[in-house]
Amino acid sequence: MKLLDLFCGAGGAAVGYHRAGFEVVGVDNRPQKNYPFEFIQMDAFEALERFGPHFDAIHASPPCQAWVDSANKSKHPQLIEPVRDALKETGLPYVIENVDSAPLRDWVMLCGTMFGLKVIRHRLFECFPSFYFSPYSCNHWGSVAAGDFAAVYGKGAQGNRYTDSGGNQKRYLPPKSSWTMEFWSEAMGIDWMNRREMTQAIPPAYTEYIGKALREPRFKAV
């Protein structure tokens, strides 16, 4: 069973599908030296057209910036709809992954705490054929500030800006223990990426769960 991993990044999704029993090939338009499986540097749409029919299922993680940076939405690529249309044309089982503010359909939401991970990272998965269940409910008891969860985000140790109750711009600094690479690695279940790559990744536990569902008899990727 083979899965084509579009917009693959450094392979957080890929490792999960591999653990679920898929042979994975990644595609990204930028070099991904830490991607752990076969990798093709190519435009995702071109790769889908050329290679899609040779796979049993397809995963796509199109850019999320438009849905994260809503104030500057028009400055970022908005590829979810064209990706969905292209995937539907293949007739294959597919998964589209994105942030929880993205316009996905018939999605299932996954969080690291559902899998016992020390990271709160909500991601939506639009799956065809659809299924509507998560493994567990989120367990957000605790906080990054107390070191209960890893602060895996782009600003890292520098923290993120916020406005306090008096309207003053300040910078939130999580405790040092929550932004070390050791803690990030444990929290995400990822030990092959650098810091920048990990801020963009999803824990492999998510797609291991999705991949096992894809292999159920009611799906075609069996």
Side-chain angles (χ1 to χ4, degrees):
M1 289 160 290
K2 298 182 67 176
L3 181 136
L4 185 62
D5 180 18
L6 303 177
F7 308 94
C8 66
V15 168
Y17 285 117
H18 175 74
R19 292 174 181 170
F22 286 92
E23 177 184 348
V24 183
V25 176
V27 173
D28 204 286
N29 64 356
R30 297 181 180 181
Q32 300 293 340
K33 65 179 183 179
N34 289 327
Y35 191 78
F37 306 111
E38 182 180 351
F39 171 76
I40 302 170
Q41 186 175 348
M42 183 181 289
D43 174 78
F45 292 95
E46 180 183 355
L48 181 61
E49 182 177 356
R50 289 182 58 181
F51 307 126
H54 303 289
F55 287 81
D56 300 294
I58 302 170
H59 173 97
S61 294
C64 66
Q65 287 84 355
W67 321 116
V68 174
D69 185 15
S70 58
N72 298 294
K73 182 177 178 180
S74 62
K75 296 182 179 180
H76 304 291
Q78 300 176 45
L79 299 181
I80 288 177
E81 288 192 11
V83 165
R84 180 188 293 122
D85 291 342
L87 292 174
K88 283 184 175 180
E89 288 184 5
T90 70
L92 294 170
Y94 70 79
V95 178
I96 304 174
E97 174 270 329
N98 221 278
V99 295
D100 58 2
S101 53
L104 298 188
R105 302 173 182 170
D106 298 330
W107 45 260
V108 59
M109 189 278 287
L110 299 180
C111 172
T113 62
M114 295 176 178
F115 303 95
L117 300 176
K118 294 183 178 181
V119 63
I120 298 174
R121 176 157 290 195
H122 290 178
R123 291 296 183 268
L124 305 184
F125 294 82
E126 176 181 321
C127 306
F128 173 80
S130 299
F131 66 96
Y132 303 97
F133 53 90
S134 299
Y136 306 102
S137 299
C138 294
N139 179 9
H140 293 179
W141 291 102
S143 68
V144 172
D148 299 305
F149 300 106
V152 185
Y153 49 75
K155 296 296 183 181
Q158 297 179 356
N160 282 334
R161 292 186 181 277
Y162 71 98
T163 303
D164 67 13
S165 58
N168 302 306
Q169 285 288 317
K170 293 188 176 181
R171 190 178 291 277
Y172 165 73
L173 290 174
K176 185 174 182 179
S177 62
S178 70
W179 52 259
T180 63
M181 282 297 291
E182 291 79 10
F183 192 22
W184 281 22
S185 179
E186 178 185 357
M188 295 278 284
I190 292 173
D191 61 4
W192 68 93
M193 297 184 191
N194 61 36
R195 181 180 292 274
R196 178 189 60 80
E197 292 168 338
M198 206 176 297
T199 64
Q200 303 298 314
I202 60 172
Y206 295 10
T207 45
E208 182 178 2
Y209 172 75
I210 296 290
K212 288 177 179 177
L214 282 176
R215 295 190 61 187
E216 291 180 2
R218 62 198 178 95
F219 293 90
K220 295 179 182 178
V222 295

